[in-house]
Amino acid sequence: MTIKYQKGSIHNTVRGEIEILEYIPGKRINGKKIHPRVIIKFLKTGTVSNIMTTAIATGHFSDNREPTVYGVGYLGSDIIIPKRGEYIRRVYDLWANMLRRAYKEYKDCSVDKRWHNFTNFLNTIVDVEGYELWENKENVHLDKDNFGKRIYSLETCKFIPASENIRKGLSSRWSKANDLTLR
């Protein structure tokens, strides 16, 4: 009997190229059929997953390290993003908006690569100064400019009152505008 998903074989799927690292045969337990499984590696990102062989043809599997948010952000786990209003969705929106600002709106700004991974962001945002204010739904912004840096990271961010962040932004814009007119 030939096994379609042999160890070492490469397959083009709707989710990208994968390599089979291990084939786990199906079996019957108490009359119930357990489908064969494979350990796969996504060739693009190196992510390793354990999936049923039937998922390969249907595409019912995913690479949790494939950037899907502003070209850099990825979930990093099988976490499900719930509807708006729930805690994980609030953190997801904070994360996605941070990526949008850094990579679509601001110049010379970036996000620490560790925070490209939503699961890492979710697990470390609680350590950012002022997090309790954000968690209590106070009107605060995640600010990256605390140490003269233009990078969002655990080490450079803190939550500050929205009014202070807006004032800082306006002050910075006015000073840049005045520099241009004085030339």
Side-chain angles (χ1 to χ4, degrees):
M1 176 173 89
T2 304
I3 298 171
K4 182 176 182 179
Y5 299 112
Q6 292 182 25
K7 181 177 180 176
S9 61
I10 306 288
H11 300 270
N12 285 313
T13 74
V14 296
R15 303 293 181 192
E17 264 194 328
I18 61 169
E19 177 183 359
I20 307 299
L21 300 179
E22 183 179 345
Y23 177 83
I24 305 160
K27 54 186 168 185
R28 288 202 174 273
I29 298 178
N30 297 328
K32 184 177 179 186
K33 181 179 179 181
I34 306 297
H35 287 280
R37 300 187 71 82
V38 285
I39 309 295
I40 63 167
K41 179 169 91 175
F42 290 89
L43 297 183
K44 183 176 179 183
T45 65
T47 303
V48 174
S49 292
N50 180 333
I51 63 172
M52 288 192 310
T53 57
T54 55
I56 295 172
T58 62
H60 287 104
F61 65 104
S62 60
D63 182 348
N64 296 322
R65 289 180 54 203
E66 177 71 26
T68 57
V69 181
Y70 298 108
V72 296
Y74 58 93
L75 291 181
S77 70
D78 288 329
I79 193 164
I80 295 171
I81 307 304
K83 63 183 178 186
R84 295 203 184 279
E86 295 184 30
Y87 174 77
I88 288 177
R89 180 55 185 251
R90 285 187 63 227
V91 176
Y92 178 85
D93 290 344
L94 178 69
W95 174 74
N97 287 326
M98 171 190 69
L99 292 174
R100 177 183 44 78
R101 287 190 304 276
Y103 296 108
K104 298 293 180 194
E105 295 178 7
Y106 298 157
K107 291 183 190 307
D108 301 322
C109 180
S110 63
V111 175
D112 183 309
K113 290 201 181 309
R114 295 173 294 177
W115 274 8
H116 287 184
N117 179 330
F118 172 68
T119 302
N120 285 346
F121 182 82
L122 175 66
N123 288 326
T124 59
I125 194 65
V126 298
D127 297 324
V128 171
E129 183 183 337
Y131 166 80
E132 305 80 25
L133 301 171
W134 179 84
E135 185 180 34
N136 291 329
K137 299 183 180 180
E138 294 189 29
N139 192 12
V140 293
H141 290 170
L142 182 62
D143 185 42
K144 68 188 170 333
D145 301 317
N146 294 300
F147 304 99
K149 304 283 185 183
R150 301 275 301 156
I151 184 168
Y152 286 97
S153 74
L154 179 60
E155 295 79 18
T156 61
C157 285
K158 72 178 183 178
F159 287 94
I160 64 172
S163 58
E164 179 183 333
N165 196 35
I166 291 167
R167 188 171 40 255
K168 280 173 48 177
L170 290 173
S171 173
S172 173
R173 282 188 207 109
W174 278 107
S175 67
K176 287 177 186 172
N178 285 338
D179 287 347
L180 291 174
T181 57
L182 293 174
R183 291 182 186 181

